[in-house]
Amino acid sequence: MVKAIRVHRPGGPDALQLEEIELPAPGPGEVQIRHRAIGVNYIDIYRRTGAYPAEFPFVPGHEGAGEIVAVGEGVKDFEVGDRVAYVGGLGGYSEARNIAADSVIHLPKSVSYAQGAVMMLKGLTAQYLLRRTFRVKKGHRVLVHAGAGGVGQLLCQWASALDAKVVATVGSPEKAEIARKAGAQDVILYRAEKFDERVKEITKGRLCDVVYDGVGRATFPASLDCLAPFGMFVSFGSASGPIESFDIGLLAQKGSLYATRPSLFTHIAKRRDYEDMVEDMLHAIKREHVTIDPPQAFPLAEAAKVHAALESRQTVGSMVLTP
Ligand code: NDP
């Protein structure tokens, strides 16, 4: 038996229940990981509320780090005692779990368990957004919404290390400082100012090459007005609610824009791509293009408190749960 957080029906943070659950031996192709750190992500909220589908009851969490404690039949690349991290299927909010070995990578000694548990889902998201969805280059003007958040700070850091000019939006003056420290040259308090008008001023009318938007409903369609002709609108999340359907003709009217709604899980579906992305991420950490600050850590039993803080916009950066 292991302690785990389970969700029995869609609901608020109190739907997260600490329980004892059975943990069978790992099946063929699986490994069993004892968690040292478990990543908390906005997707865990979408699952808990039912905004994203999940079969009830379920253990939330897609990201973690720890050590291998058992290996299933046919697994060749991992041994008991290996330090590992993963992004993968549900089941993260637990003392220990089984997971497909294909979702797991070896964690270098230079990366702590807590950093590993942040690097996988949030770090790889920043990786594919900046290097695969739209390849950010020197001189590009980049708008990052929620620039003090978990993914937001990594986007600001990495885009500025690529010599892009980064403008970030944030919800408070305290968050503005954090986004600046992460590499944003200009910061907009989008709860107090019209961010599209400010982007026009800041860029002297030249607007942005790409907008990274994990906020969704509250920033649409104004995000499109921040883009220069042929710019790329990347809608990668909906912390404020999903964007309503819109007329695709809007993209023509606003300057022959491109729009995409990518997901990390498509990008890592092939093991080869997953490994390449991890390698690029580790390289960026080594070159200090990205700094994974030690995340704020909370006991597993406090998952509900952490969810409540995340969805009421009180958090900055990344958070982990520790069993
Ligand atoms: P964050 O730490 O960024 O938290 C969300 C932030 O969104 C808040 O802190 C807040 O920042 C901002 N926000 C704006 N409006 C609201 C609102 N109405 N309610 C709550 N928050 C709001 O979370 P994550 O780093 O975990 O995730 C960021 C986004 O990235 C999410 O949308 C997530 O779904 C998405 N994502 C997408 C992936 C993909 O592959 N498509 C993978 C990983 C994450 P502020 O106060 O500054 O406005």
Side-chain angles (χ1 to χ4, degrees):
M1 300 292 275
V2 291
K3 287 200 177 81
I5 299 284
R6 273 212 295 192
V7 179
H8 289 266
R9 59 196 67 82
D14 56 5
L16 300 169
Q17 303 281 331
L18 184 66
E19 296 175 1
E20 296 251 318
I21 62 166
E22 293 253 0
L23 181 63
E30 289 186 336
V31 293
Q32 190 169 99
I33 299 173
R34 185 194 299 135
H35 281 130
R36 295 299 194 95
I38 301 152
V40 177
N41 290 283
Y42 221 90
I43 190 174
D44 306 339
I45 293 176
Y46 306 142
R47 297 262 189 235
R48 193 203 71 220
T49 59
Y52 281 10
E55 227 171 84
F56 295 93
F58 67 90
V59 175
H62 291 277
E63 178 183 44
E67 67 235 350
I68 304 264
V69 288
V71 172
E73 199 190 308
V75 173
K76 292 197 177 62
D77 297 333
F78 297 98
E79 289 175 10
V80 170
D82 284 355
R83 297 174 89 246
V84 293
Y86 68 85
V87 49
L90 284 164
Y93 287 20
S94 58
E95 288 176 321
R97 68 167 300 172
N98 295 330
I99 188 164
D102 273 355
S103 302
V104 179
I105 59 119
H106 285 104
L107 191 61
K109 284 217 173 72
S110 56
V111 182
S112 71
Y113 285 119
Q115 288 170 316
V118 166
M119 181 186 89
M120 297 307 290
L121 202 152
K122 284 172 278 286
L124 294 184
T125 296
Q127 197 280 340
Y128 86 76
L129 290 174
L130 297 168
R131 312 303 292 143
R132 291 166 65 101
T133 299
F134 180 94
R135 218 171 153 81
V136 169
K137 298 210 175 96
K138 186 175 179 166
H140 275 147
R141 289 179 299 276
V142 175
L143 177 64
V144 175
H145 283 304
V151 177
Q153 281 192 51
L154 298 178
L155 287 173
C156 290
Q157 284 181 17
W158 204 337
S160 89
L162 292 167
D163 291 324
K165 291 188 170 50
V166 180
V167 181
T169 60
V170 291
S172 71
E174 296 73 31
K175 290 187 177 187
E177 270 321 295
I178 288 160
R180 253 192 209 102
K181 223 175 122 203
Q185 288 184 350
D186 296 279
V187 181
I188 302 169
L189 293 169
Y190 60 173
R191 295 175 94 166
E193 307 172 282
K194 286 202 164 193
F195 71 85
D196 50 332
E197 289 177 6
R198 286 285 293 123
V199 166
K200 265 180 214 138
E201 284 168 22
I202 290 165
T203 61
K204 299 189 174 57
R206 287 179 297 171
L207 303 174
C208 296
D209 300 285
V210 59
V211 173
Y212 290 112
D213 188 343
V215 171
R217 187 179 289 156
T219 43
F220 191 82
S223 284
L224 300 182
D225 295 318
C226 299
L227 284 165
F230 310 111
M232 172 73 92
F233 173 59
V234 184
S235 168
F236 67 98
S238 43
S240 68
I243 293 173
E244 307 284 328
S245 332
F246 66 95
D247 176 1
I248 199 163
L250 202 57
L251 301 178
Q253 282 167 35
K254 306 262 181 199
S256 302
L257 303 179
Y258 295 85
T260 182
R261 177 51 176 100
S263 159
L264 173 63
F265 293 99
T266 325
H267 282 272
I268 61 172
K270 291 192 182 130
R271 177 76 193 183
R272 182 65 204 268
D273 292 337
Y274 184 33
E275 285 177 0
D276 287 350
M277 288 164 66
V278 170
E279 197 183 316
D280 191 37
M281 175 84 225
L282 291 170
H283 190 59
I285 293 173
K286 205 166 161 195
R287 294 174 72 192
E288 296 182 352
H289 283 182
V290 179
T291 312
I292 308 277
D293 291 325
Q296 304 159 72
F298 301 86
L300 179 62
E302 291 183 13
K305 194 174 107 181
V306 175
H307 270 219
L310 183 59
E311 65 191 321
S312 59
R313 308 172 75 163
Q314 288 167 34
T315 63
V316 291
S318 302
M319 287 162 299
V320 294
L321 300 170
T322 44

